Coordinates of all heavy atoms in Angstrom, one line a residue:
G361 N 8.6 -29.9 20.1 CA 9.0 -31.4 19.9 C 9.5 -31.6 18.5 O 9.7 -32.8 18.2
L362 N 9.8 -30.5 17.8 CA 10.4 -30.8 16.4 C 12.0 -30.7 16.6 O 12.4 -30.1 17.7 CB 9.9 -29.8 15.4 CG 8.4 -29.9 15.2 CD1 8.0 -29.1 14.0 CD2 8.0 -31.4 15.0
Q363 N 12.7 -31.1 15.7 CA 14.2 -31.1 15.8 C 14.8 -30.5 14.6 O 14.3 -30.5 13.5 CB 14.8 -32.5 16.2 CG 14.7 -33.5 15.0 CD 15.3 -34.8 15.4 OE1 15.4 -35.2 16.6 NE2 15.6 -35.6 14.5
G364 N 16.1 -30.2 14.8 CA 16.9 -29.8 13.6 C 16.5 -28.5 12.9 O 16.6 -28.4 11.7
A365 N 15.8 -27.6 13.7 CA 15.3 -26.4 13.0 C 16.4 -25.6 12.4 O 17.3 -25.2 13.1 CB 14.5 -25.6 14.0
V366 N 16.2 -25.3 11.2 CA 17.3 -24.4 10.5 C 16.5 -23.2 9.7 O 15.3 -23.4 9.3 CB 18.1 -25.1 9.4 CG1 19.1 -26.1 10.1 CG2 17.3 -25.9 8.4
T367 N 17.2 -22.1 9.7 CA 16.6 -20.9 9.1 C 17.3 -20.4 7.9 O 18.6 -20.4 7.9 CB 16.5 -19.8 10.2 OG1 15.8 -20.3 11.3 CG2 15.9 -18.5 9.7
R368 N 16.6 -20.0 6.9 CA 17.2 -19.2 5.8 C 16.5 -17.9 5.7 O 15.3 -17.8 6.1 CB 17.2 -20.0 4.5 CG 17.9 -21.3 4.5 CD 17.8 -22.0 3.2 NE 18.4 -21.3 2.0 CZ 18.3 -21.7 0.8 NH1 17.5 -22.8 0.5 NH2 18.9 -21.1 -0.2
A369 N 17.1 -16.9 5.3 CA 16.5 -15.6 5.2 C 17.0 -14.7 4.1 O 18.1 -14.8 3.6 CB 16.7 -14.8 6.5
W370 N 16.1 -13.9 3.6 CA 16.4 -12.9 2.5 C 15.8 -11.5 2.8 O 14.7 -11.5 3.3 CB 15.7 -13.4 1.2 CG 16.1 -14.7 0.6 CD1 17.0 -15.0 -0.4 CD2 15.8 -16.1 1.2 NE1 17.2 -16.4 -0.6 CE2 16.4 -17.0 0.3 CE3 14.9 -16.5 2.2 CZ2 16.3 -18.4 0.5 CZ3 14.8 -17.9 2.3 CH2 15.4 -18.8 1.5
P371 N 16.5 -10.5 2.4 CA 15.9 -9.2 2.5 C 14.7 -9.1 1.5 O 14.8 -9.6 0.4 CB 17.0 -8.2 2.1 CG 18.3 -8.9 2.2 CD 17.9 -10.4 2.0
L372 N 13.5 -8.6 2.1 CA 12.3 -8.7 1.2 C 12.5 -7.9 -0.1 O 11.7 -8.1 -1.0 CB 11.2 -8.1 2.0 CG 10.3 -9.1 2.8 CD1 9.3 -8.4 3.6 CD2 9.7 -10.1 1.9
D373 N 13.3 -6.8 -0.1 CA 13.4 -5.9 -1.2 C 14.4 -6.4 -2.3 O 14.7 -5.8 -3.2 CB 13.7 -4.5 -0.8 CG 15.1 -4.5 -0.1 OD1 15.8 -5.5 0.0 OD2 15.5 -3.3 0.3
A374 N 14.9 -7.6 -2.1 CA 16.0 -8.1 -2.9 C 15.7 -9.5 -3.4 O 14.6 -10.0 -3.2 CB 17.4 -8.1 -2.2
G375 N 16.6 -10.1 -4.1 CA 16.3 -11.4 -4.7 C 17.1 -12.5 -4.0 O 17.6 -12.4 -2.9
L376 N 17.2 -13.5 -4.8 CA 17.8 -14.8 -4.3 C 19.2 -14.6 -3.8 O 19.6 -15.1 -2.8 CB 17.9 -15.7 -5.5 CG 16.7 -16.7 -5.7 CD1 16.9 -17.6 -6.8 CD2 16.6 -17.6 -4.4
D377 N 19.9 -13.8 -4.6 CA 21.4 -13.7 -4.3 C 21.6 -13.1 -3.0 O 22.6 -13.2 -2.3 CB 22.1 -12.7 -5.3 CG 22.4 -13.4 -6.5 OD1 22.3 -14.6 -6.6 OD2 22.9 -12.8 -7.5

Side-chain angles (χ1 to χ4, degrees):
L362 302 186
Q363 71 181 18
V366 291
T367 300
R368 296 178 67 187
W370 295 258
L372 269 177
D373 61 0
L376 268 180
D377 275 356

